[in-house]
Amino acid sequence: MERCKRSTKVLYVMTLLSGLLECMFFAGIVFGFASLVFVLKEEGYFSQLCSSSPGTNWTDIVQDCSGQDEKFALVFTIASFLNNFMVLFSGIVFDRFGTLVTRLLAINIYCIGTVLVAVSNAKLSVLLFPALSCIAVGGMLLMMTNLQVGNLFAAHRSTIITLYSGAFDSSAAVFLIIKVLHQHGITLRRSFVFLSFCSIIHIVRTALLLPHTRIPYPVPPCYTYGLSLGKNKYNVEQRMRDVLPMSNVSSGRSNAPEDETEVKESGKDLVKSFQSCVLSWFFVWNLLWLSIMQLRHFIFIGTLNPKLVRLANNDNHLVSHYTNVFSITQLCAVLCAPWNGLLLDRHKGKPRAPGATEQEADLRSSILSLFLTSLQCLLFSVCASVPSLPVQFLTFALEVINRSFIYGGNAAFINIAFPICHFGKLYGLTMSLSAVISLLQYPCLALFKGALDGDNIYADMTLSLVTMLGFIHPLYVFVHCWKLAQARKNRQPVAL
């Protein structure tokens, strides 16, 4: 038994570290688009949309590239939309067919995207639309299959989920590396050909360090996978039916408010249905919380390059410097995200209140995380509204901290509030619906460049007010936990 535990521990650690590297260097690189835009402009992508006109002095020539900026914004809008929207279908695939099929699909989509960028050029600028979209979708698929690794480390599950989300955000710095390499003579084509060949690494990791189906929670003793074929045939749904009745239904969750009452009966076991999860207030407020903050970040990233150009008075060197600073700060996401996980896991190992379930303790612990994430987004939005270049250093810092908290907190909350057997579908549905809302960024970007002539301070202030709606989610969870505590207290006999 001891030998078995040692071998599985080594396997789990290798899975954790390899997944961390995969998320950090591949999964979310599309969000480093501001650095890639700088390279694409130098390569002449969509340059035909720029026009020249005489300035105030007849010797000056003013170049208007607003059409080019709008086209790049559209590329990012579509890519970021599909990055989230397609997670619904991939979540269904993941829950139905397991890790192996989902990852093979992800690797193929990702490789198609990198190859399309490699073969593109200024004359084939239109290839950026399918290319960036494929990279975004494939990267999110890889990310989703890695989130289950947290199940291997029960006491630190939320910490690992948020760590992976931070690594996903940090991968945005990959486009900064490509930008620096381009400035030193490495062509865009060579960089993306290299990313294409890295698909071999993903295939090897899929075969050796991940299960064919899914990682169950809780993990049974000596659970193994990878090359140990035949030993990883484990029915996750059956495990959920064995565990949930003891940990949730029999402990009083069936007497919870309306979003906790709908369950599906299978023999003597009770498992909450997917429909009841979707119709619960937990799902609705979490979706609103994610969508508002995500929209704010997407608008910021989509307008960053033209905003820096305007604030720097068209100083290309200064724009490059601030773009580099922004991309470097993305690397810090992997350092910021685990703090959110520690907030979520801070109650682990401590005695619970009499009669309290593990899920109730997890929900109570999530309140502070959700509140701090909403507060960070509000502060970030306010700083982004200030038309000053030096203030943008603070904006960059708040942006990377908040993004690392948002996605890790979203995945962790879904893991906490709903059955693990529905995680893929619920995570996918949440990301897909939030993607639909994120489409509002394109009319916002058009408004900034049109009616507001690039000066979006009033729009930024409006968005800052909208982000305050995010505080509804932690407030609802707090009220829910308070009601559970009151109900439990009323059922207890009064001490004389």
Side-chain angles (χ1 to χ4, degrees):
M1 180 62 71
E2 289 298 323
R3 182 180 178 183
C4 173
K5 288 182 178 179
R6 286 196 298 268
S7 62
T8 54
K9 184 177 181 180
V10 172
L11 179 64
Y12 295 170
V13 171
M14 290 177 62
T15 300
L16 171 65
L17 295 179
S18 60
L20 186 63
L21 293 175
E22 183 175 82
C23 291
M24 184 178 293
F25 291 105
F26 301 99
I29 65 175
V30 71
F31 293 103
F33 190 67
S35 296
L36 185 64
V37 165
F38 195 88
V39 177
L40 295 174
K41 284 185 174 181
E42 289 188 347
E43 292 285 330
Y45 283 72
F46 298 120
S47 57
Q48 71 275 13
L49 299 176
C50 292
S51 58
S52 300
S53 59
T56 52
N57 259 335
W58 67 275
T59 56
D60 295 334
I61 299 296
V62 178
Q63 193 171 35
D64 179 18
C65 290
S66 58
Q68 184 188 37
D69 290 333
E70 186 173 350
K71 194 65 82 172
F72 282 130
L74 182 59
V75 170
F76 179 74
T77 299
I78 294 174
S80 58
F81 165 74
L82 292 176
N83 175 78
N84 291 348
F85 184 76
M86 294 303 294
V87 181
L88 170 60
F89 304 101
S90 59
I92 295 173
V93 171
F94 179 63
D95 283 346
R96 176 66 180 85
F97 299 104
T99 305
L100 178 63
V101 173
T102 306
R103 284 184 62 83
L104 291 179
L105 178 64
I107 293 167
N108 277 283
I109 294 175
Y110 193 92
C111 190
I112 290 172
T114 54
V115 168
L116 285 176
V117 177
V119 301
S120 69
N121 52 48
K123 294 182 179 179
L124 296 174
S125 302
V126 70
L127 288 179
L128 290 179
F129 285 98
L132 269 296
S133 297
C134 285
I135 292 174
V137 172
M140 179 53 80
L141 277 170
L142 292 175
M143 170 66 179
M144 189 181 68
T145 59
N146 280 311
L147 290 177
Q148 61 180 326
V149 175
N151 295 343
L152 298 174
F153 305 88
H156 307 286
R157 183 167 60 146
S158 295
T159 302
I160 291 172
I161 289 174
T162 54
L163 178 65
Y164 273 26
S165 296
F168 177 88
D169 294 333
S170 293
S171 64
V174 170
F175 280 166
L176 170 64
I177 297 174
I178 291 176
K179 174 178 177 289
V180 173
L181 291 175
H182 185 267
Q183 292 172 338
H184 287 80
I186 305 298
T187 63
L188 192 66
R189 175 170 298 179
R190 289 183 180 179
S191 296
F192 277 89
V193 166
F194 174 78
L195 288 177
S196 302
F197 276 106
C198 286
S199 298
I200 298 173
I201 301 175
H202 305 319
I203 294 174
V204 172
R205 181 171 181 268
T206 302
L208 302 182
L209 295 175
L210 284 169
H212 289 183
T213 54
R214 284 179 292 155
I215 299 174
Y217 182 81
V219 174
C222 295
Y223 173 72
T224 187
Y225 45 83
L227 286 180
S228 304
L229 297 177
K231 296 182 180 180
N232 59 354
K233 305 277 186 186
Y234 195 82
N235 191 320
V236 179
E237 288 75 12
Q238 183 61 46
R239 180 68 175 178
M240 289 300 302
R241 285 193 289 268
D242 293 341
V243 174
L244 282 178
M246 295 182 291
S247 62
N248 294 335
V249 178
S250 62
S251 59
R253 278 183 58 195
S254 58
N255 296 324
E258 59 179 334
D259 55 272
E260 295 289 334
T261 57
E262 294 185 56
V263 291
K264 178 177 63 179
E265 184 167 1
S266 176
K268 65 177 182 179
D269 298 327
L270 295 173
V271 178
K272 193 175 180 183
S273 69
F274 174 70
Q275 181 181 2
S276 66
C277 293
V278 174
L279 296 178
S280 67
W281 282 111
F282 274 162
F283 183 84
V284 172
W285 294 128
N286 186 65
L287 174 63
L288 178 69
W289 177 83
L290 172 68
S291 301
I292 289 174
M293 292 188 287
Q294 179 176 257
L295 176 63
R296 183 66 189 96
H297 282 268
F298 283 178
I299 290 176
F300 174 76
I301 295 173
T303 59
L304 181 60
N305 187 267
K307 178 179 182 178
L308 292 177
V309 170
R310 178 172 55 83
L311 294 178
N313 294 321
N314 295 310
D315 187 336
N316 197 48
H317 177 74
L318 197 56
V319 172
S320 177
H321 172 69
Y322 273 85
T323 302
N324 290 347
V325 171
F326 173 72
S327 299
I328 291 172
T329 57
Q330 302 304 302
L331 285 170
C332 299
V334 72
L335 303 176
C336 302
W339 291 102
N340 193 21
L342 293 174
L343 286 175
L344 291 163
D345 286 335
R346 68 186 187 279
H347 66 290
K348 300 288 187 180
K350 297 179 181 179
R352 298 196 297 266
T357 64
E358 181 182 357
Q359 191 205 35
E360 183 182 344
D362 289 342
L363 285 172
R364 188 177 297 277
S365 182
S366 70
I367 296 172
L368 180 59
S369 169
L370 296 173
F371 174 78
L372 288 178
T373 306
S374 302
L375 182 61
Q376 290 165 4
C377 188
L378 178 61
L379 294 175
F380 150 68
S381 186
V382 170
C383 289
S385 306
V386 179
S388 170
L389 273 179
V391 174
Q392 300 314 306
F393 289 121
L394 179 59
T395 305
F396 296 162
L398 289 171
E399 194 273 343
V400 70
I401 293 172
N402 188 230
R403 279 192 71 230
S404 64
F405 269 58
I406 290 173
Y407 293 107
N410 171 58
F413 183 81
I414 293 174
N415 238 331
I416 289 170
F418 306 107
I420 192 69
C421 58
H422 299 316
F423 174 78
K425 296 186 289 291
L426 289 171
Y427 182 75
L429 183 61
T430 302
M431 300 301 287
S432 297
L433 293 177
S434 68
V436 174
I437 297 176
S438 72
L439 287 177
L440 291 172
Q441 65 181 294
Y442 188 68
C444 289
L445 296 176
L447 177 66
F448 299 161
K449 293 178 175 62
L452 300 178
D453 196 25
D455 187 6
N456 50 359
I457 182 172
Y458 298 108
D460 283 336
M461 293 172 64
T462 302
L463 289 170
S464 298
L465 294 176
V466 173
T467 57
M468 297 182 69
L469 294 175
F471 288 99
I472 297 176
H473 187 29
L475 178 61
Y476 178 79
V477 178
F478 172 79
V479 173
H480 172 81
C481 292
W482 179 80
K483 287 182 178 179
L484 286 180
Q486 290 298 112
R488 187 173 63 250
K489 181 180 178 181
N490 293 336
R491 287 196 298 267
Q492 292 176 350
V494 179
L496 298 178

